[in-house]
């Protein structure tokens, strides 16, 4: 299905909007299930310039927190900017003050040359712009990006409560926006750190659930295991990881952070985070496995060819194997190079031309054998009947992995994957829901059966959805019993510029929509908080 977007309505995803002073009522068509009670919370950029100074990258706009509330078949919509340091200081000084992912913040023009000179030695002020995701720790909710700062927010009013610096509690320089949250409330995450004798490493951190003493669980954060780095000076960019009942899976990709560039004084050469990335063209991809409970590294060297990885779909154990399902982008060039706002706001023909050069997306299944016998050198170790993925033991004791492709279409990505997380995370599963990117433009929602590769698609002309969030029916007996929620913008289609879409998770057919009278810019990730 070659869907085209010559009208360029997707540009509205990258337009500044105002926050709301109070929630607005959405206009419902269709019928909202009575059991659907709670809030859809989502994060994304909402301010794409400060005065005359533009932000340049998709991950630079100031964090806007969105909420759709569902109660007795009625829906309201609310949004507020997160009062991060980056946002508050920008508002106060009417300029970009903190350097963002792809935008350098120039020194204060009002300062004299001496104070400017001394600020060169202050080091980099790391951004706290929490535009990527929102997740629970104990009874609290945090908006986050990928630095050491997370921001506690009130999930009811969307007010900002306080900034928290994770590096004060546990040895990490940052943490991903994709923690795993177990059913008892335990939170796992991964971040870069300085390991033994100054070599770089990656720490898995665990934040326990809320205890009877009601103390903030963040105070009890601890490192459970440290993964080594393929290059002691250049950590890989890590965006998510895999977790099962017994194992932690970390995929180390060839997208590297050059620490010499990162730690040198950015203000001397006007650098930002994007300037510190480079690709290792020879390493391919290394996969690492650790035992979750013991915090012990498995001494097995899994290797495969180069790809970018942002999102793990799911990971599970089966008969001495780990099944690792991923949304990959083939090659070592950094996909974020293609996510500058100038690219994303271009006319459709130009958008397509850019995407032709980018790494190709592919959803893949890798199978990692856990029990290795030297006698099997040269052989494929995967004996599971249902997969074509292979793992070949080589004479240098590395294991070369070849994937099974679970979804592939030219410049059509299955991305922002979601599953029935509460019941199936880390367990054998059948279905995943994703956002379909057409040359990086989000234009469809897709359900995928990872066993049969059957797909179901929701798509409408000139309509641009967000990551689909699966919400299980409270009495569900089946994995896909429930609904899928997505925020869709449809500029120029009808009188209402945006709506919350509710689909039947079985067949991706529309159940209802709740329209609002305001535009809603792009959102990345979020969650459904049951009432």
């Amino acid at each position: 299905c070659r869907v085209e977007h010559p009208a360029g309505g997707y540009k509205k995803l990258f337009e500044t909007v105002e926050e709301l002073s109070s929630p607005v009522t959405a206009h419902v068509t269709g019928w909202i299930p009575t059991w659907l009670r709670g809030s859809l919370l989502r994060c994304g950029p909402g301010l794409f310039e400060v005065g005359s100074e533009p932000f340049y990258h998709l991950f630079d706009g100031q964090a806007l927190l969105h909420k759709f509330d569902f109660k007795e078949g009625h829906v309201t919509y609310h949004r507020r900017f997160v009062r991060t340091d980056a946002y508050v200081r920008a508002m106060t000084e009417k300029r970009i003050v903190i350097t963002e992912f792809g935008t350098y913040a120039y020194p204060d023009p009002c300062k004299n040359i001496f104070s400017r000179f001394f600020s060169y030695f202050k080091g980099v002020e790391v951004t706290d712009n929490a535009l990527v995701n929102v997740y629970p720790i104990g009874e609290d909710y945090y908006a986050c990006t990928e630095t050491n700062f997370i921001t506690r927010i009130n999930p009811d009013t969307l007010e900002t409560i306080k900034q928290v610096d994770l590096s004060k509690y546990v040895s990490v320089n940052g943490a991903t926006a994709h923690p795993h949250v177990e059913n008892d409330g335990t939170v796992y995450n991964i971040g870069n750190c300085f390991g033994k004798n100054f070599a770089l490493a990656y720490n898995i951190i665990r934040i326990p659930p809320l205890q009877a003493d009601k103390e903030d669980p963040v105070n009890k954060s601890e490192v459970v295991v440290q993964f080594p780095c393929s290059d002691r000076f250049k950590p890989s960019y890590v965006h998510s990881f895999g977790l099962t009942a017994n194992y932690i899976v970390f995929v180390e990709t060839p997208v590297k952070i050059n620490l010499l560039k990162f730690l040198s004084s950015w203000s001397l050469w006007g650098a930002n985070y994007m300037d510190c990335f480079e690709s290792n063209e020879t390493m391919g991809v290394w996969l690492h496995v650790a035992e979750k409970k013991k915090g012990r590294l498995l001494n097995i060297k899994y290797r495969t060819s180069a790809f970018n990885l942002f999102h793990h779909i799911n990971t599970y154990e089966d008969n001495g194997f780990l099944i690792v399902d991923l949304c990959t982008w083939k090659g070592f060039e950094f996909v974020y190079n293609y996510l500058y706002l100038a690219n994303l706001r271009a006319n459709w023909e130009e958008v397509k031309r850019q995407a032709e050069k980018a790494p190709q997306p592919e959803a893949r299944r890798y199978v990692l054998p856990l029990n290795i016998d030297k006698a099997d050198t040269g052989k494929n170790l995967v004996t599971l009947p249902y997969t074509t993925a292979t793992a070949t033991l080589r004479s240098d004791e590395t294991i070369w992995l070849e994937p099974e492709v679970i979804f592939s279409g030219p410049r059509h990505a299955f991305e922002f994957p979601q599953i029935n997380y509460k019941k199936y995370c880390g367990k054998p599963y059948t279905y995943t829901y994703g956002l379909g990117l057409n040359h990086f433009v989000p234009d469809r929602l897709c359900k995928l059966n990872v066993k049969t590769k059957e797909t179901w698609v929701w798509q409408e002309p000139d309509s641009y959805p967000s990551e689909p969030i699966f919400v299980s029916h409270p009495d569900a007996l089946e994995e896909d019993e429930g609904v899928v929620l997505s925020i869709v913008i449809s500029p120029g289609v009808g009188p209402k510029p945006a709506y919350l879409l509710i689909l039947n998770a079985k067949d991706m057919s529309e159940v209802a929509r709740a329209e609002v009278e305001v535009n809603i810019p792009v959102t990345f990730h979020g969650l459904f908080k049951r009432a």
Side-chain angles (χ1 to χ4, degrees), residues 251-262:
V251 180
E252 192 175 18
T253 71
V255 175
K256 292 291 189 179
I257 300 162
N258 182 327
L259 266 158
L260 297 174
K261 283 188 184 172
F262 194 86

Side-chain angles (χ1 to χ4, degrees), residues 56-209:
Y56 292 107
H57 200 273
L58 176 60
F59 304 131
D60 294 349
Q62 297 301 290
L64 185 58
L65 188 56
H66 308 255
K67 175 171 67 103
F68 277 93
D69 263 331
F70 303 87
K71 194 175 177 183
E72 272 102 64
H74 297 283
V75 183
T76 60
Y77 170 64
H78 194 31
R79 66 180 177 215
R80 302 283 294 178
F81 282 103
V82 185
R83 266 48 178 188
T84 58
D85 283 358
Y87 178 81
V88 171
R89 292 172 66 181
M91 292 299 100
T92 308
E93 301 192 31
K94 297 183 173 43
R95 63 185 190 91
I96 297 170
V97 181
I98 304 281
T99 292
E100 298 291 356
F101 196 73
T103 303
Y104 171 66
Y106 284 92
D108 185 349
C110 308
K111 281 187 180 164
N112 67 37
I113 190 73
F114 291 107
S115 57
R116 290 236 297 269
F117 178 75
F118 283 109
S119 70
Y120 285 146
F121 299 101
K122 226 179 35 223
V124 178
E125 278 195 276
V126 173
T127 180
D128 63 343
N129 182 24
L131 80 164
V132 185
N133 202 357
V134 54
Y135 64 91
I137 300 179
E139 289 176 350
D140 301 326
Y141 284 80
Y142 289 86
C144 67
T145 175
E146 300 184 317
T147 65
N148 51 299
F149 295 115
I150 58 176
T151 306
R152 191 174 153 205
I153 56 101
N154 179 323
D156 302 317
T157 64
L158 306 188
E159 285 168 318
T160 301
I161 300 171
K162 65 169 183 178
Q163 181 200 75
V164 171
D165 181 353
L166 289 172
S167 66
K168 288 205 167 91
Y169 300 91
V170 68
S171 172
V172 285
N173 303 330
T176 76
H178 293 285
H180 276 285
V181 182
E182 296 187 322
N183 287 338
D184 70 354
T186 306
V187 176
Y188 285 86
N189 209 338
I190 187 169
N192 302 118
C193 68
F194 289 103
K196 297 180 181 61
N197 52 28
F198 284 111
L200 260 293
Y202 311 88
N203 277 344
I204 293 280
I205 60 174
R206 176 170 54 211
I207 307 175

Side-chain angles (χ1 to χ4, degrees), residues 230-277:
S230 61
D231 176 332
R232 59 173 294 181
F233 295 117
K234 291 175 183 173
S236 291
Y237 174 67
V238 52
H239 190 94
S240 65
F241 64 102
L243 192 69
T244 69
N246 299 297
Y247 297 97
I248 300 165
V249 178
F250 165 50
V251 180
E252 192 175 18
T253 71
V255 175
K256 292 291 189 179
I257 300 162
N258 182 327
L259 266 158
L260 297 174
K261 283 188 184 172
F262 194 86
L263 298 174
S264 68
S265 190
W266 290 4
S267 42
L268 288 175
W269 51 294
N272 56 52
Y273 296 80
M274 274 297 287
D275 296 320
C276 299
F277 289 102

Side-chain angles (χ1 to χ4, degrees), residues 2 13 43 45 70 76 92 114 140 155 173 188 224 239 313 335 372 391 396 407 414 431 464:
R2 296 273 74 161
L13 288 166
C43 286
F70 303 87
T76 60
T92 308
F114 291 107
D140 301 326
N173 303 330
Y188 285 86
V224 287
H239 190 94
I313 303 173
V335 170
I372 313 300
D396 63 359
F407 181 90
F414 178 94
Y431 302 109
Y464 305 98

Side-chain angles (χ1 to χ4, degrees), residues 483-499:
V483 294
V484 166
L485 307 179
S486 176
I487 298 176
V488 184
I489 69 155
S490 50
V493 174
K496 307 259 197 307
Y499 56 94

Side-chain angles (χ1 to χ4, degrees), residues 247-384:
Y247 297 97
I248 300 165
V249 178
F250 165 50
V251 180
E252 192 175 18
T253 71
V255 175
K256 292 291 189 179
I257 300 162
N258 182 327
L259 266 158
L260 297 174
K261 283 188 184 172
F262 194 86
L263 298 174
S264 68
S265 190
W266 290 4
S267 42
L268 288 175
W269 51 294
N272 56 52
Y273 296 80
M274 274 297 287
D275 296 320
C276 299
F277 289 102
E278 57 188 48
S279 294
N280 179 317
E281 304 191 358
T282 55
M283 72 172 274
V285 167
W286 298 18
L287 293 88
H288 307 266
V289 176
E291 289 177 4
K292 185 173 103 177
K293 296 186 176 81
K294 297 191 184 109
R296 192 174 69 89
L297 235 44
L298 293 197
N299 187 24
I300 309 178
K301 297 180 167 71
Y302 303 100
R303 302 287 184 265
T304 190
S305 47
F307 58 75
N308 283 224
L309 168 66
F310 307 102
H311 302 122
H312 280 250
I313 303 173
N314 199 10
T315 314
Y316 65 89
E317 306 165 27
D318 186 0
N319 278 304
F321 296 93
L322 278 174
I323 288 73
V324 181
D325 292 350
L326 309 172
C327 295
T328 68
W329 297 79
K330 298 186 258 188
F332 49 70
E333 194 202 355
F334 197 21
V335 170
Y336 287 4
N337 292 344
Y338 293 86
L339 302 182
Y340 282 94
L341 292 167
N343 291 16
L344 299 174
R345 288 167 171 155
N347 291 329
W348 176 238
E349 291 305 320
E350 179 57 29
V351 163
K352 284 197 292 189
R353 195 156 55 246
Q354 284 291 333
E356 310 270 296
K357 306 176 190 164
Q360 284 270 10
E362 194 163 79
R364 294 173 167 182
R365 165 164 291 178
Y366 285 93
V367 177
L368 284 53
L370 296 167
N371 311 308
I372 313 300
D373 183 347
K374 282 221 183 94
D376 288 330
T377 301
K379 294 190 168 57
N380 167 32
L381 308 180
V382 180
T383 53
L384 296 174

